[in-house]
Amino acid sequence: LALFSCEEANEGLNYQKTEDGKGYTVVKYIGEEKILEIPEEYNGLPVVAIEPYAFSGRDKLETLYIPESVETIGEYAFFQCNKLLDATIPSGVKSIGEKAFAGCEYLTYIYIFNYYICITLTIFIYFINCFIYFYFQRFFIEFIKYIV
């Protein structure tokens, strides 16, 4: 197991180089922005993953944009981001970890642009009224999940 040091960018994102050295993962977010766009690249290499708990407890984050380069979102990645209102999951994301959005009580919209994505229903746990849009080329399916 190779260990790599974390590097911090100006936006409050902490990165770690992947084991193969071909990309970076977001390991922690310590910023206070309401709207955050994770960059496609860091130090000239693609940002390929969001680690478990990377954004957990960030109570100011309302809107999140994930780049096409990200392939994996870890378990509990956005756990208790209490003010998160909407998130866009691009077509590059192939898997979303268990309970990735658990405790995001105000999450209203999730836009998913990949119908080959591997998800578990537990990523949607604790949602009261959340609209989840799956975009499949020229049409989309909308469903509402109500958990009382």
Side-chain angles (χ1 to χ4, degrees):
L1 181 66
L3 296 175
F4 297 95
S5 63
C6 289
E7 301 176 35
E8 185 178 341
N10 295 339
E11 311 86 26
L13 290 165
N14 290 325
Y15 297 92
Q16 183 173 315
K17 206 172 223 183
T18 58
E19 247 182 75
D20 64 9
K22 295 180 180 179
Y24 281 93
T25 64
V26 175
V27 292
K28 192 72 180 165
Y29 174 65
I30 55 172
E32 298 293 326
E33 288 84 7
K34 287 184 177 183
I35 300 171
L36 179 67
E37 184 171 354
I38 298 171
E40 187 98 17
E41 291 185 347
Y42 178 71
N43 283 345
L45 294 173
V47 176
V48 296
I50 299 171
E51 293 292 322
Y53 294 96
F55 289 83
S56 66
R58 303 318 306 169
D59 60 358
K60 290 190 171 52
L61 186 61
E62 294 178 6
T63 301
L64 176 70
Y65 298 99
I66 299 170
E68 285 287 334
S69 60
V70 170
E71 297 178 358
T72 305
I73 297 173
E75 296 177 344
Y76 294 94
F78 303 99
F79 180 65
Q80 292 187 341
C81 287
N82 295 328
K83 292 193 178 162
L84 186 63
L85 299 171
D86 59 83
T88 300
I89 313 293
S91 61
V93 175
K94 294 174 179 50
S95 69
I96 300 176
E98 190 171 327
K99 299 180 183 175
F101 293 95
C104 297
E105 57 191 83
Y106 293 107
L107 188 60
T108 308
Y109 296 99
I110 298 178
Y111 303 96
I112 299 176
F113 288 88
N114 185 351
Y115 63 89
Y116 290 115
I117 196 165
C118 175
I119 58 175
T120 62
L121 287 179
T122 57
I123 71 161
F124 305 123
I125 202 163
Y126 307 122
F127 292 176
I128 304 300
N129 294 319
C130 184
F131 296 87
I132 302 165
Y133 296 92
F134 290 90
Y135 289 86
F136 303 130
Q137 294 177 2
R138 293 173 30 181
F139 66 96
F140 67 89
I141 298 171
E142 173 188 337
F143 70 92
I144 305 169
K145 183 170 183 73
Y146 294 96
I147 300 177
V148 187

